[in-house]
Amino acid sequence: MVAATRFSVLVLNAVRRIPPGRVATYGDVAAVAGRPRAWRAVGNIMRECQQADVPCHRVVASGGGLGGYGDNPALKRALLRAEGVIVVGRRIRQWSLVRWVPAPSGRVRRNRTVAPAVSQEERRRA
DNA sequence: GATGTGACTTAGA
DNA sequence: ATCTAAGCCACAT
């Protein structure tokens, strides 16, 4: 079946696992893909992804940075914002809350209804 | 198989 | 806060 190397499939699959309203860093995606130190390659794959099946806009940089999105970083921000993620400038608000955490460990199913609940928190700065 | 590249990350100045 | 340097991985040529 054509292109799509192994790692790229794993990465795309990992990105697809990101639930709406949440985001993951390149490092997290790489970890789920099986290469926790391949954030660089993840970025490269994302650049080629450009597929509607993959919410590449949910993949952001570390520390809450938006990362990149081809020539439309603003579009990425808009998509995230449309899902309930508060984004201000190039930074994500409540980063620790929207950051998706894959499989914590053994039991413990932390499923806490995301609940972004914007509220006036975003009025902080715009 | 080597080289260059990048939607990255961390640390130091 | 901004910039530089180095480290890291997979992919394209």
Side-chain angles (χ1 to χ4, degrees):
Chain A
M1 294 254 222
V2 277
T5 57
R6 236 176 144 136
F7 189 64
S8 61
V9 172
L10 292 171
V11 170
L12 294 175
N13 191 8
V15 174
R16 279 185 207 142
R17 284 174 55 176
I18 302 174
R22 286 266 179 102
V23 295
T25 66
Y26 292 91
D28 290 340
V29 174
V32 175
R35 289 321 192 239
R37 294 206 164 148
W39 4 269
R40 274 243 211 218
V42 172
N44 282 349
I45 294 165
M46 294 270 109
R47 176 148 66 126
E48 289 242 352
C49 106
Q50 249 173 351
Q51 296 180 45
D53 298 9
V54 181
C56 27
H57 62 271
R58 287 185 196 147
V59 182
V60 298
S62 67
L66 270 181
Y69 205 80
D71 287 337
N72 281 69
L75 175 61
K76 187 173 187 176
R77 188 178 75 187
L79 290 169
L80 289 173
R81 200 157 166 245
E83 292 192 349
V85 179
I86 305 167
V87 182
V88 177
R90 296 188 322 241
R91 210 75 172 184
I92 297 176
R93 292 282 186 211
Q94 305 201 341
W95 166 238
S96 46
L97 297 181
V98 297
R99 186 181 186 188
W100 174 58
V101 182
S105 49
R107 46 180 132 121
V108 185
R109 60 177 101 142
R110 51 173 66 203
N111 273 349
R112 197 136 285 170
T113 349
V114 55
V118 194
S119 65
Q120 301 112 1
E121 216 66 91
E122 74 173 10
R123 74 159 172 154
R124 224 165 160 182
R125 241 191 197 233

